[in-house]
Amino acid sequence: MSISVSLAPVNTEVSVSSANDIAVSLTNPTTTVEVNNQAIALPQSLGTGDSPTFSSVTTSQTIANYVTDTSITTTEFATYTGKKIIYTGGAGEIDLPAAVAADAGKSWVIINAGTGGLTIDVDGSSTAQYVRFLTGGAVSTSNSVNRVIAAGGTAEIICITDGSVTNSASVPNYLIYGGGIS
């Protein structure tokens, strides 16, 4: 007995001549996958030496210029969206801007390589922003209390919602987590 089956999208023949004799034949031994608008051919069966190789994959957050001033205004802070801010000044302050709809999902990474604490001023925009702080294993209640990133500390700030709709203890505008935050 012999049975042939064609499976889409690749023409595959399966032949069964007895209970112990099964043959599989691939008429198209590769699948094309598109990554970043570039076609990559992958073999149907990945055996030793058949694994696909990629010439390179490069990705990184852009690093903002080293920031040495002692106060990062809401306007200046907005220009650092999606960047790593390496702060190298003395004691300083970051004025957290009031969240707007377009800010949802934006993030900032702050590395305090300076010599003093860096205060996150949650009402630097004149509108107190509710922030949920995650420090270590604990989740702090969302509130509008300033926090400090100690010298050597790091933090990521993520805008999680539009402040005009919520901005409350139960639904804060921002989430901040990292190490060396008090």
Side-chain angles (χ1 to χ4, degrees):
M1 168 175 74
S2 181
I3 301 172
S4 289
V5 178
S6 181
L7 302 173
V10 176
N11 294 328
T12 306
E13 287 185 21
V14 178
S15 299
V16 180
S17 55
S18 71
N20 295 324
D21 189 15
I22 299 173
V24 176
S25 173
L26 299 175
T27 57
N28 182 2
T30 61
T31 296
T32 301
V33 176
E34 196 170 299
V35 177
N36 292 333
N37 297 323
Q38 185 176 21
I40 298 171
L42 300 176
Q44 287 295 327
S45 64
L46 296 177
T48 305
D50 289 335
S51 298
T53 58
F54 300 92
S55 59
S56 68
V57 175
T58 305
T59 184
S60 181
Q61 256 186 324
T62 303
I63 296 178
N65 291 333
Y66 291 95
V67 178
T68 57
D69 57 353
T70 56
S71 180
I72 298 174
T73 66
T74 58
T75 304
E76 184 181 6
F77 186 74
T79 67
Y80 297 139
T81 300
K83 297 181 181 179
K84 291 181 181 174
I85 301 167
I86 301 176
Y87 183 80
T88 58
E93 180 176 281
I94 294 175
D95 293 334
L96 199 60
V100 295
D103 290 339
K106 291 182 179 178
S107 67
W108 300 262
V109 173
I110 302 161
I111 301 163
N112 187 356
T115 57
L118 189 56
T119 301
I120 300 170
D121 184 354
V122 298
D123 64 351
S125 65
S126 300
T127 303
Q129 300 297 295
Y130 281 85
V131 179
R132 180 162 294 141
F133 289 95
L134 290 82
T135 57
V139 177
S140 299
T141 303
S142 300
N143 57 39
S144 55
V145 174
N146 292 345
R147 296 295 172 134
V148 176
I149 304 170
T154 62
E156 181 163 7
I157 300 174
I158 304 169
C159 183
I160 56 176
T161 190
D162 172 10
S164 66
V165 177
T166 54
N167 194 31
S168 66
S170 59
V171 185
N173 286 345
Y174 290 96
L175 171 78
I176 299 177
Y177 67 92
I181 303 171
S182 59

